[in-house]
């Protein structure tokens, strides 16, 4: 196969992918606002409870400010949260202070059972779910009563699709404890298809599934 034929073949496949993605966007999903509002009411006291633990420990700054939190944790409480991170400019790993929930806070909380770090991680998780999902998702409901998220197939660093307006790929599906797992299940029950008959859906490995369907490769299928 010549290079020109290869390019034409790939271009034709691109068109098929874009067509499938556009159909997914146009189909949309239905957001069930009643259970979502119930979730918001459930999250509010949990957010307040985790914040109370942090305030009782002496923090008076802005909980949404990573810089202020770092100064407090590192300067006053002497936490040593230093990890290896990849520096894009230097093209190598460097040691950097971090309060990343997944890489730092959760492992530390699991290892030590520190109530402050547990509360800090919980507050970050719960507040994000309350604001980004409970409060913002209803604003994306369009005139047809559905949410039509944008699926971006290009301009992504890791070649995977990205999602926006809203990011339906970030709807929680699991958690690190019983509360988070229950909340994730509750969040997923707030969505259905236009007909109301869809019980569940996931974008898991969507790129591989589409590659299998488009290529017809037996092993990939």
């Amino acid at each position: 196969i010549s290079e020109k034929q290869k390019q034409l073949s790939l271009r034709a496949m691109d068109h098929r992918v874009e067509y499938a993605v556009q159909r997914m966007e146009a189909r949309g999903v239905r957001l069930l606002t009643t259970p979502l509002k119930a979730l918001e009411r459930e999250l509010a006291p949990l957010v307040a409870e985790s914040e109370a633990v942090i305030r009782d420990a002496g923090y008076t700054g802005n909980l949404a400010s990573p810089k202020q939190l770092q100064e407090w944790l590192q300067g006053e409480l002497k936490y040593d949260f230093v990890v290896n991170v990849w520096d894009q400019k230097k093209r190598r790993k460097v040691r950097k202070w971090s309060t990343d929930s997944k890489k730092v806070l959760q492992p530390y909380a699991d290892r030590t059972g520190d109530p402050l770090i547990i509360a800090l991680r919980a507050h970050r998780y719960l507040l994000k779910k309350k604001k980004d999902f409970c409060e913002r998702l209803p604003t994306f409901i369009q005139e047809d009563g559905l949410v039509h998220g944008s699926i971006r197939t290009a301009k992504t660093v890791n070649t995977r699709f990205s999602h926006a307006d809203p990011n339906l790929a970030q709807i929680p599906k699991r958690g690190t404890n019983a509360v988070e797992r229950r909340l994730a299940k509750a969040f997923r029950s707030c969505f259905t298809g236009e007909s109301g008959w869809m019980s569940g859906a996931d974008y898991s490995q969507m790129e591989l599934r589409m590659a299998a369907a488009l290529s017809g490769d037996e092993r990939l299928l």
Side-chain angles (χ1 to χ4, degrees):
I1 182 171
S2 68
E3 184 63 27
K4 184 176 181 180
Q5 288 176 316
K6 182 180 179 181
Q7 291 299 322
L8 288 172
S9 175
L10 291 174
R11 190 177 301 171
M13 190 172 291
D14 278 344
H15 290 163
R16 293 171 66 189
V17 170
E18 290 298 331
Y19 175 66
V21 167
Q22 287 172 13
R23 288 182 63 196
M24 291 168 65
E25 291 179 343
R27 184 179 297 118
V29 295
R30 188 174 299 282
L31 178 64
L32 306 176
T33 55
T34 299
L36 191 67
K37 284 293 182 184
L39 259 176
E40 185 176 2
R41 290 193 296 271
E42 182 179 352
L43 282 171
L46 295 176
V47 171
E49 182 181 331
S50 59
E51 180 175 353
V53 174
I54 301 168
R55 297 300 184 190
D56 288 344
Y59 184 68
T60 58
N62 180 5
L63 279 168
S65 170
K67 183 179 179 180
Q68 291 183 32
L69 275 170
Q70 176 178 336
E71 290 174 352
W72 179 62
L73 291 169
Q74 186 179 19
E76 294 186 31
L77 302 186
K78 308 301 180 185
Y79 281 96
D80 186 25
F81 293 148
V82 179
V83 293
N84 291 320
V85 295
W86 179 259
D87 189 302
Q88 190 67 31
K89 291 182 179 180
K90 296 180 179 179
R91 304 297 298 171
R92 61 182 176 84
K93 285 188 174 182
V94 297
R95 297 283 286 171
K96 185 178 179 181
W97 212 92
S98 172
T99 55
D100 181 274
S101 290
K102 187 176 182 180
K103 295 180 180 178
V104 179
L105 298 186
Q106 188 58 52
Y108 185 85
D110 291 340
R111 188 171 66 253
T112 66
D114 188 321
L116 173 59
I117 303 305
I118 291 173
L120 187 60
R121 188 207 165 277
H123 183 269
R124 187 175 291 177
Y125 174 89
L126 295 167
L127 187 62
K128 179 177 176 61
K129 299 300 179 284
K130 181 177 181 293
K131 286 187 173 181
D132 290 357
F133 299 131
C134 294
E135 296 176 9
R136 290 191 68 235
L137 278 177
T139 66
F140 289 101
I141 299 176
Q142 299 186 18
E143 292 182 359
D144 59 1
L146 302 174
V147 175
H148 300 272
S150 174
I151 305 172
R152 298 168 179 174
T153 61
K155 296 183 180 180
T156 56
V157 175
N158 59 7
T159 73
R160 300 195 65 182
F161 294 172
S162 64
H163 303 256
D165 305 322
N167 188 345
L168 294 175
Q170 283 193 343
I171 302 302
K173 62 180 179 180
R174 61 172 65 91
T176 59
N177 55 56
V179 172
E180 291 181 9
R181 285 191 289 272
R182 181 175 57 78
L183 288 173
K185 186 176 181 180
F187 268 113
R188 297 217 151 205
S189 69
C190 294
F191 293 90
T192 186
E194 180 182 7
S195 65
W197 290 100
M198 183 183 73
S199 60
D202 202 307
Y203 287 128
S204 175
Q205 299 181 342
M206 179 166 65
E207 295 84 359
L208 283 176
R209 299 175 192 278
M210 292 185 73
L214 292 173
S215 69
D217 181 85
E218 290 186 7
R219 295 189 66 186
L220 194 55
L221 285 167

